[in-house]
């Protein structure tokens, strides 16, 4: 289900049990865009450094730095912003909304 198919008063697709308008409306898209910009910046910085190393040091160092940079960007993307625990305080009611 995409955001364009979710109405304001529908249950939130994140599974929190709240209405979409009280949970992820306006939060999910901006959070995703922020993560995409930061991960892209990490990968781009690594590739720029790799290009400089390729021109000065050699191919092997450039490949290592580029690989580590792309892996770092992917790891950052996967392991940041854990689900928040806003809600009723019940540990069984995990909210995956922003």
């Amino acid at each position: 289900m995409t955001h364009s198919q979710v109405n304001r008063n529908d249950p939130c697709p994140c599974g929190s049990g709240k209405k979409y308008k009280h949970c992820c409306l306006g939060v999910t898209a901006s959070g995703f865009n922020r993560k995409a910009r930061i991960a892209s910046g990490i990968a781009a910085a690594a590739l720029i450094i790799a290009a400089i190393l390729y021109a000065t040091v050699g191919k092997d160092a450039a490949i290592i730095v580029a690989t580590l940079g792309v892996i770092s960007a992917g790891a950052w993307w996967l392991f940041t912003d854990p689900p928040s625990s806003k809600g009723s305080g019940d540990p069984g009611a995990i909210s995956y909304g922003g």
Side-chain angles (χ1 to χ4, degrees):
M1 184 179 284
T2 63
H3 286 292
S4 61
Q5 296 173 338
V6 179
N7 293 320
R8 289 174 47 85
N9 290 319
D10 289 344
C12 190
C14 76
S16 67
K18 298 178 183 179
K19 288 185 178 183
Y20 179 63
K21 67 183 178 183
H22 294 298
C23 189
C24 291
L25 179 64
V27 174
T28 306
S30 64
F32 178 80
N33 291 337
R34 179 181 171 269
K35 279 184 77 169
R37 284 194 316 266
I38 293 173
S40 298
I42 292 169
L47 294 175
I48 290 170
I49 293 168
I52 294 168
L53 285 175
Y54 182 77
T56 58
V57 177
K59 182 178 176 181
D60 293 337
I63 290 173
I64 292 170
V65 168
T67 303
L68 289 175
V70 171
I71 290 171
S72 297
W76 184 89
W77 177 271
L78 290 173
F79 298 116
T80 56
D81 298 328
S84 67
S85 60
K86 70 178 184 180
S88 64
D90 177 18
I94 297 174
S95 171
Y96 289 96

